[in-house]
Amino acid sequence: MKQASKIIRQHILSLLADGQFHSGEVIAQQVGLSRTAVAGHISQLAEWGLDVFKVKGKGYRLNRRFELLNTEAIKKHLPNPRLSVVEVESVVPSTNTELKKRIVNARHNMADGDVLIAEIQTAGRGRHGRPWLAPAGGSLTLSMYWSFPDGYQSMAGLSLLVGIAVCEALKEFGIDDAQLKWPNDVYLQGKKLAGILIEVEGQIGATAHCVIGIGLNICVPDNQYDVGQPHSDLASFLGQLPDRNAVAAAVIGSLWELLPKFTQRGFEPFVPVWQALDLYADKTIVLQMGEKRFSGIDRGIDVSGALLVETADGISRFHGGEVSLRGG
């Protein structure tokens, strides 16, 4: 998307975020375009998931107001806002994809803990290339950069560690009963609340440049959105819409706190923490691995983050990326 169009759509988004009517004529005057051009930009925002409706004689309005994500507002909630770069973009295809481009591009000097957050993702991704639905104003989609000088082997258990960090962040909002589904989903009241996508750039034997992607449902009512499986959101659980900037800061702060410990000591110290949050602990589960299906009892994880499954033949270990998991 051209920079000029990006700025215009960001301006229109900031106007509509108050949930009030704005006439096409007034918007056109503010952005210096014709009403027809404005209608085209708003149509594009609607295609990206912004719920805009038009009433003749009144103009354009969102179905509900929402607070825009804002770098300075996020930093106000952070314990050490100067620690890393926190950047908010109005529209990107995928925060993970954008950070991966920056890793490869030598012009961007990435530092551990740098964060990119998107108001709108047009091509968000989950595991195995599945799309990740992130309605504008109703979700938190962020990616964080972190490097592992000792390479890929020092990252074992990273997605599980990130799940712990998200659960710790949710405690700041009175949510103490979030759970984790191996290897990278956060659940609330038995339904999916957040997903984690870890992607890595780098050569074997060299520093692993890692992108930690998190998609968290803030206000995604299940009667309005079908994400392909039962899902939950923070607004439904809390009974009110939480401050997305505060939620973003809590997640970022939690990652900043736990990732240095993980880098130094590995996942082993976190094993009992993760097991206490295990959604399927000691329950029968079914694992799909390619064409094969396995059934057994979830017996937790080992120090590498591998899932331990008890079958008639004993304990088997399964590693991230190989299996999907559902309660049996």
Side-chain angles (χ1 to χ4, degrees):
M1 180 173 43
K2 293 181 180 179
Q3 187 65 20
S5 294
K6 188 175 182 178
I7 292 171
I8 290 166
R9 287 169 193 170
Q10 187 168 359
H11 191 109
I12 293 172
L13 185 62
S14 66
L15 288 173
L16 295 176
D18 64 5
Q20 303 300 311
F21 278 107
H22 295 268
S23 75
E25 184 177 359
V26 171
I27 296 173
Q29 289 172 353
Q30 292 211 17
V31 298
L33 295 174
S34 68
R35 291 175 66 176
T36 301
V38 165
H41 284 293
I42 290 177
S43 176
Q44 183 61 72
L45 288 171
E47 285 185 24
W48 287 339
L50 205 65
D51 200 352
V52 187
F53 62 93
K54 183 180 180 182
V55 175
K56 191 172 182 179
K58 289 189 173 183
Y60 300 97
R61 181 187 166 200
L62 295 183
N63 69 326
R64 61 176 178 81
R65 68 171 299 278
F66 64 85
E67 185 176 14
L68 288 168
L69 292 164
N70 178 275
T71 298
E72 294 308 313
I74 292 169
K75 286 183 174 180
K76 285 180 183 178
H77 296 284
L78 287 169
N80 188 350
R82 296 181 183 179
L83 191 64
S84 301
V85 174
V86 177
E87 179 184 350
V88 175
E89 285 273 8
S90 56
V91 182
V92 296
S94 158
T95 54
N96 264 30
T97 300
E98 177 61 27
L99 274 198
K100 285 169 68 179
K101 286 181 183 176
R102 295 182 185 187
I103 290 170
V104 174
N105 188 337
R107 290 180 300 169
H108 290 278
N109 186 19
M110 304 289 292
D112 287 349
D114 283 357
V115 178
L116 176 65
I117 308 173
E119 193 69 69
I120 296 174
Q121 272 198 152
T122 59
R125 292 173 292 116
R127 290 187 74 217
H128 307 303
R130 289 188 288 262
W132 177 268
L133 175 69
S139 61
L140 176 65
T141 53
L142 68 82
S143 296
M144 179 179 289
Y145 170 78
W146 203 270
S147 64
F148 293 88
D150 293 332
Y152 285 76
Q153 67 274 12
S154 62
M155 292 174 49
L158 177 59
S159 67
L160 282 67
L161 180 281
V162 174
I164 292 172
V166 173
C167 289
E168 287 296 313
L170 294 174
K171 289 180 181 179
E172 295 187 27
F173 302 88
I175 299 173
D176 298 317
D177 51 357
Q179 293 177 287
L180 296 173
K181 174 186 167 186
W182 186 89
N184 47 14
D185 289 333
V186 181
Y187 271 58
L188 187 59
Q189 294 183 320
K191 299 178 181 179
K192 186 171 179 176
L193 176 70
I196 296 156
L197 178 63
I198 308 290
E199 298 186 275
V200 188
E201 295 286 338
Q203 303 297 320
I204 299 296
T207 296
H209 300 278
C210 184
V211 175
I212 299 166
I214 298 172
L216 174 64
N217 297 330
I218 304 290
C219 182
V220 188
D222 57 10
N223 61 346
Q224 294 181 29
Y225 298 96
D226 179 9
V227 303
Q229 62 177 300
H231 70 278
S232 59
D233 64 10
L234 295 185
S236 300
F237 183 83
L238 297 172
Q240 61 183 4
L241 189 65
D243 181 342
R244 286 193 304 150
N245 290 302
V247 175
V251 172
I252 293 166
S254 185
L255 287 169
W256 283 355
E257 179 182 352
L258 296 186
L259 280 168
K261 299 175 183 177
F262 174 82
T263 303
Q264 292 167 5
R265 303 172 62 192
F267 187 64
E268 185 173 3
F270 300 97
V271 169
V273 181
W274 194 94
Q275 296 198 142
L277 298 169
D278 186 359
L279 178 67
Y280 291 124
D282 299 321
K283 295 179 181 176
T284 299
I285 56 174
V286 177
L287 300 99
Q288 187 81 33
M289 190 166 62
E291 297 296 318
K292 298 179 180 178
R293 285 169 62 89
F294 298 87
S295 180
I297 300 173
D298 175 356
R299 296 302 188 194
I301 53 174
D302 66 13
V303 295
S304 73
L307 181 67
L308 305 178
V309 181
E310 182 181 347
T311 67
D313 299 322
I315 299 290
S316 297
R317 287 170 170 78
F318 295 88
H319 292 271
E322 297 176 353
V323 300
S324 61
L325 181 154
R326 287 175 172 77

